[in-house]
Amino acid sequence: MPKLCEASQVKESLPERKEITPRDKSIWSPFVVTEKNENEKSLDNPSPHAEKIRNHNTQFVSGVKRVEYINFLYEDSKLLVPCAEQSLMKLICQIGMIYNPLELQFRKVFHIPNIEEEIDKGIVTLKQQLKTEELDSRDITILIDRACVYIRHKNWIEAMQEFEKILKRLRPLNIRYLIRLIDKAKEAADLIKGKNIIFFLGGTGSGKSTIIHALAGSKMEAKEVNGLCHISPVGPFKNRALEAMTSNPNAESGTRSITPVTIQYSDVGGNSLGEVVLCDTPGFEDTDEPEIDIANMIGIVQAAQLSKSVKPVLLVSYKAVGDRLTGIKNLARNIISMIPSIEQHMKAFSYIFTKFPKAERDRIHASLVDLTKHLKPEEIDDKCYMTFHDDMVKKTRKGAIVIDPLNINPGELLDDLADTPAMEYPDRVFQKSITEKSKTVLNEACNKHQSAIIIACKNHNYEYACMRLDELKTLYEILEQDSINQVYKLCIGYAAKHLMAEYQTAISTFKRSFTDQNELTNDDINQYIQYSP
Ligand SMILES: Nc1nc2c(ncn2[C@@H]2O[C@H](COP(=O)(O)OP(=O)(O)OP(=O)(O)O)[C@@H](O)[C@H]2O)c(=O)[nH]1
Ligand SMILES: [Mg+2]
């Protein structure tokens, strides 16, 4: 019997990250399909929401197109051991095959043999698994019942959505989706490796993408969209990164991941030597998807840590100043959580003010001073906010940097930024961090893993317990949050104790069998049955 380790003996640094390998060897595929001929196509019972879903990603599809979503769901489900989560994923894929999202056409070409029978069986298995995993609640029963009604009426999209709601409850954080997003962010970070970068940070719509275009020398054009002035770049663009960087007139977030653009100073009329990388960033906490929110912040840290030096530029819009810099409060908290020794690095920060009417441009410092006089007690107590507030007041004293993207001298501004001090050795300055909003989701996910592991041990479902433990380990390795490591250690400690107790029971049974000579009781037999696969 190998010696088991107690929670306190678990190493601080976790072992090498294991690749998550397919666990469910049984092959199932919702993709076993045969083409129907045109005459067989049926369009009965189209959902009233079909059009909406056809044109849009819904809140359930985690920001990727439904076709990709179903594909990923299928691939991800193979990484799991049989469990309620896997059954739900299978059900969603199977229903997704009936409502054929691949071509975004309603049940047009595919025919899946016995699919509805498979779905019925899947629901029975799901219910059993939910019970065994102690996940069956009134709410979930209602959702399953509702899904069954939709299935009876062949309202596939609605049925799929009910299952997606259950999946979201069981799995508040989709770890595999998160890994994909972080790997994608790593690709951007690799482009930045060893370079001097300027990070443009700011709330959604503050003008980060627009200003990067203007600084890169893109031709800018103003037009009216929905009654608002929209300044947008006009192609062709100088490099591919700029093509992907769109400025967005809507209130919702436009930029979804960090995007680096390399600029030669001399190309835009600058006198400084060499090149600089301007890095567009997504806003923090402007998405309902915790995976995107987490990947954004981790992506920024990954990129910063790989770079040679970093200069952060905060974009502050006219509206933000009018709103008592409310948006800056969140931003400040998140920046400080990434840069714990912020006091030593404030000199590297610059502020660019956007969307200010001409008449207000000379009044920026005065407005900030005025704001200082009327700070609320809770604002004064907010140390993170005050660090930036005071710095902004200080750095605007001799005049604020105000940008008009239609009328900009990119070389001059980039030269000015080149003269400001940078954060050197960013790998020592930045630490992985996540927003408060995502921390809540992460804690919820860790707690669910903890209960799942405890219940799995009680049920002697060690394969499942190992899978959840591996997931916690992976999560810790990519996010480096102590809270995950604590839960992981607790779970290892619990599993160790549990296995020790099982071992003691087995030893005493074994001893008794020897002492009492071939006396096998009913309990012994039941126990044997329970352990045998
Ligand atoms: N008038 C004016 N409009 C601007 C300025 N900068 C940006 N805009 C407009 O503001 C809107 C948002 O600009 P974006 O550059 O997409 O903002 P962003 O900060 O990249 O936004 P996210 O990507 O969502 O975080 C667009 O309609 C721009 O045309 C500016 O300096 N003046
Ligand atoms: Mg943007």
Side-chain angles (χ1 to χ4, degrees):
M1 178 84 185
K3 202 166 169 253
L4 295 168
C5 64
E6 289 292 328
S8 57
Q9 293 174 286
V10 174
K11 277 204 299 181
E12 275 304 315
S13 61
L14 298 168
E16 279 284 280
R17 173 173 155 194
K18 265 198 248 157
E19 277 303 309
I20 301 179
T21 46
R23 294 169 191 266
D24 187 7
K25 307 286 189 304
S26 66
I27 306 287
W28 74 277
S29 171
F31 298 97
V32 180
V33 291
T34 51
E35 291 240 330
K36 262 187 166 186
N37 76 36
E38 284 291 310
N39 302 332
E40 284 178 274
K41 288 175 191 171
S42 89
L43 281 167
D44 51 333
N45 285 320
S47 151
H49 305 300
E51 190 58 33
K52 199 168 88 191
I53 293 175
R54 222 172 273 148
N55 298 328
H56 246 283
N57 297 325
T58 71
Q59 55 176 313
F60 306 109
V61 299
S62 308
V64 287
K65 287 189 212 110
R66 195 163 271 270
V67 53
E68 287 167 356
Y69 168 67
I70 298 280
N71 277 333
F72 281 132
L73 211 56
Y74 171 61
E75 291 303 324
D76 289 351
S77 71
K78 291 193 289 188
L79 303 174
L80 303 181
V81 301
C83 60
E85 183 183 341
Q86 191 197 49
S87 293
L88 274 166
M89 290 159 94
K90 284 182 182 184
L91 281 164
I92 296 167
C93 286
Q94 286 163 338
I95 295 174
M97 284 300 101
I98 300 178
Y99 164 69
N100 167 25
L102 293 164
E103 303 298 324
L104 294 179
Q105 287 168 10
F106 193 69
R107 279 192 281 150
K108 207 171 167 192
V109 284
F110 288 108
H111 170 65
I112 303 161
N114 305 327
I115 190 77
E116 292 178 36
E117 219 173 277
E118 286 301 311
I119 290 172
D120 286 345
K121 278 193 220 154
I123 293 172
V124 173
T125 311
L126 172 67
K127 284 182 182 169
Q128 275 165 0
Q129 286 165 327
L130 286 169
K131 208 164 181 184
T132 317
E133 292 167 38
E134 297 181 26
L135 293 168
D136 53 342
S137 65
R138 215 178 101 75
D139 283 2
I140 289 185
T141 309
I142 292 172
L143 290 170
I144 295 179
D145 289 347
R146 227 187 276 164
C148 291
V149 173
Y150 285 133
I151 288 170
R152 264 205 309 281
H153 291 91
K154 300 193 186 301
N155 287 338
W156 304 112
I157 300 175
E158 287 80 355
M160 201 196 273
Q161 287 179 348
E162 297 307 309
F163 286 129
E164 280 164 337
K165 281 184 206 165
I166 305 174
L167 188 57
K168 187 82 194 152
R169 283 181 200 206
L170 261 49
R171 186 186 68 179
L173 191 68
N174 182 346
I175 298 174
R176 281 154 284 272
Y177 176 40
L178 178 64
I179 292 173
R180 276 195 290 278
L181 290 170
I182 290 180
D183 285 348
K184 188 108 190 39
K186 180 83 173 35
E187 284 171 24
D190 285 338
L191 299 174
I192 286 167
K193 208 170 181 173
K195 306 224 171 143
N196 298 314
I197 61 173
I198 301 180
F199 264 131
F200 288 83
L201 304 163
T204 283
S206 55
K208 301 176 292 288
S209 305
T210 308
I211 194 179
I212 292 178
H213 263 288
L215 288 173
S218 300
K219 189 172 163 235
M220 306 301 286
E221 195 179 77
K223 55 184 170 201
E224 205 183 289
V225 179
N226 301 329
L228 295 171
C229 167
H230 174 54
I231 301 174
S232 60
V234 191
F237 302 118
K238 292 190 178 135
N239 68 44
R240 293 188 76 189
L242 286 168
E243 273 166 34
M245 192 182 293
T246 49
S247 85
N248 179 26
N250 305 319
E252 73 232 27
S253 176
T255 304
R256 301 297 263 172
S257 57
I258 60 162
T259 317
V261 179
T262 305
I263 292 176
Q264 304 292 328
Y265 286 104
S266 56
D267 284 355
V268 290
N271 293 321
S272 311
L273 292 178
E275 62 180 27
V276 63
V277 180
L278 308 184
C279 214
D280 197 3
T281 62
F284 303 118
E285 299 188 24
D286 8 287
T287 161
D288 283 336
E289 292 181 46
E291 296 85 358
I292 293 186
D293 193 44
I294 293 174
N296 282 345
M297 218 150 143
I298 297 291
I300 290 177
V301 173
Q302 278 180 166
Q305 286 177 335
L306 283 175
S307 70
K308 185 174 172 216
S309 74
V310 176
K311 291 181 187 181
V313 172
L314 250 69
L315 264 67
V316 186
S317 70
Y318 180 56
K319 188 169 172 293
V321 175
D323 288 346
R324 303 183 58 84
L325 295 173
T326 308
I328 301 292
K329 287 169 190 146
N330 242 352
L331 193 62
R333 208 179 35 245
N334 288 321
I335 292 174
I336 291 178
S337 71
M338 289 190 283
I339 310 173
S341 53
I342 194 85
E343 286 85 10
Q344 299 163 34
H345 301 287
M346 284 314 290
K347 55 185 184 313
F349 281 84
S350 303
Y351 304 91
I352 292 183
F353 294 83
T354 60
K355 305 185 182 184
F356 272 70
K358 276 203 177 97
E360 296 289 330
R361 289 180 190 171
D362 293 332
R363 292 205 67 259
I364 293 173
H365 179 70
S367 306
L368 293 173
V369 170
D370 193 48
L371 213 56
T372 315
K373 285 184 196 148
H374 298 99
L375 282 168
K376 294 179 186 166
E378 64 270 22
E379 287 170 331
I380 297 171
D381 287 345
D382 183 344
K383 292 217 161 50
C384 298
Y385 168 67
M386 286 311 294
T387 306
F388 283 91
H389 180 101
D390 291 345
D391 196 48
M392 241 185 277
V393 173
K394 195 169 93 189
K395 287 180 180 159
T396 51
R397 209 170 282 150
K398 290 184 187 155
I401 308 173
V402 196
I403 289 289
D404 176 358
L406 292 171
N407 213 343
I408 187 175
N409 182 339
E412 198 177 286
L413 182 58
L414 286 179
D415 279 342
D416 286 349
L417 289 173
D419 289 341
T420 61
M423 284 181 201
E424 306 291 345
Y425 305 107
D427 53 325
R428 297 182 204 162
V429 175
F430 282 80
Q431 72 167 28
K432 282 188 183 166
S433 166
I434 62 175
T435 65
E436 288 301 315
K437 195 171 151 190
S438 292
K439 263 184 202 159
T440 312
V441 180
L442 179 65
N443 288 342
E444 197 194 333
C446 286
N447 290 341
K448 279 200 186 302
H449 268 63
Q450 188 174 353
S451 333
I453 290 162
I454 292 172
I455 292 163
C457 284
K458 281 186 194 149
N459 291 338
H460 310 291
N461 190 351
Y462 299 117
E463 211 188 350
Y464 177 83
C466 275
M467 176 183 82
R468 294 297 182 214
L469 277 168
D470 280 353
E471 285 177 348
L472 278 177
K473 184 148 64 70
T474 304
L475 207 53
Y476 176 66
E477 283 160 358
I478 56 176
L479 305 184
E480 294 174 8
Q481 301 297 297
D482 282 344
S483 60
I484 311 170
N485 199 16
Q486 277 164 20
V487 173
Y488 180 76
K489 284 180 178 180
L490 276 173
C491 292
I492 289 281
Y494 177 86
K497 259 194 190 150
H498 168 86
L499 288 174
M500 186 55 85
E502 292 286 298
Y503 171 73
Q504 296 298 353
T505 314
I507 288 289
S508 62
T509 310
F510 200 54
K511 276 187 187 155
R512 189 173 41 73
S513 302
F514 270 116
T515 359
D516 300 350
Q517 299 282 327
N518 66 32
E519 283 280 315
L520 274 179
T521 64
N522 279 342
D523 280 351
D524 294 334
I525 295 163
N526 286 337
Q527 206 176 359
Y528 172 76
I529 293 168
Q530 195 184 1
Y531 285 122
S532 52

